[in-house]
Amino acid sequence: MLSVIIPAYKDPLIHKTIDSLLENAEGEKEIIPVLDGYWPETPIKQDERIKVLHLGKNRGMRGAINAGVSIAKGEFLMRSDQHCAFA
């Protein structure tokens, strides 16, 4: 299984990144958006493949990545920016 960690801080495109992964990434996957001290205006969609991790305060990118890695269950890890698209 692939675990995709997406550290995020107030980027409105995180929803499009998650949708792109759900639609285009093949195989078993879990998507871990790490909300670094904020809640998005539009909630992250409910899906069994998405595990939202909210950090109570802003820890910065490295802290957010490490927090996501700590809950990842996949054999393989991938880090993505919060504003990417996948084919």
Side-chain angles (χ1 to χ4, degrees):
M1 175 170 59
L2 172 66
S3 296
V4 182
I5 297 144
I6 308 171
Y9 184 73
K10 297 184 181 179
D11 191 324
L13 297 178
I14 188 166
H15 301 288
K16 289 185 178 186
T17 300
I18 291 169
D19 288 342
S20 180
L21 281 165
L22 290 173
E23 292 169 14
N24 298 311
E26 295 179 5
E28 190 178 0
K29 62 192 155 284
E30 70 175 345
I31 301 169
I32 305 172
V34 183
L35 306 177
D36 194 10
Y38 84 105
W39 288 105
E41 288 183 28
T42 305
I44 304 292
K45 70 170 50 179
Q46 297 289 321
D47 187 294
E48 64 184 20
R49 298 167 291 180
I50 301 172
K51 296 179 183 173
V52 177
L53 177 58
H54 181 268
L55 304 180
K57 64 177 187 168
N58 185 287
R59 293 192 201 173
M61 185 176 295
R62 183 170 300 223
I65 293 168
N66 289 339
V69 168
S70 71
I71 68 163
K73 302 252 189 274
E75 179 181 359
F76 302 100
L77 300 175
M78 177 179 135
R79 181 233 178 247
S80 173
D81 286 332
Q82 56 196 336
H83 48 262
C84 291
F86 300 89

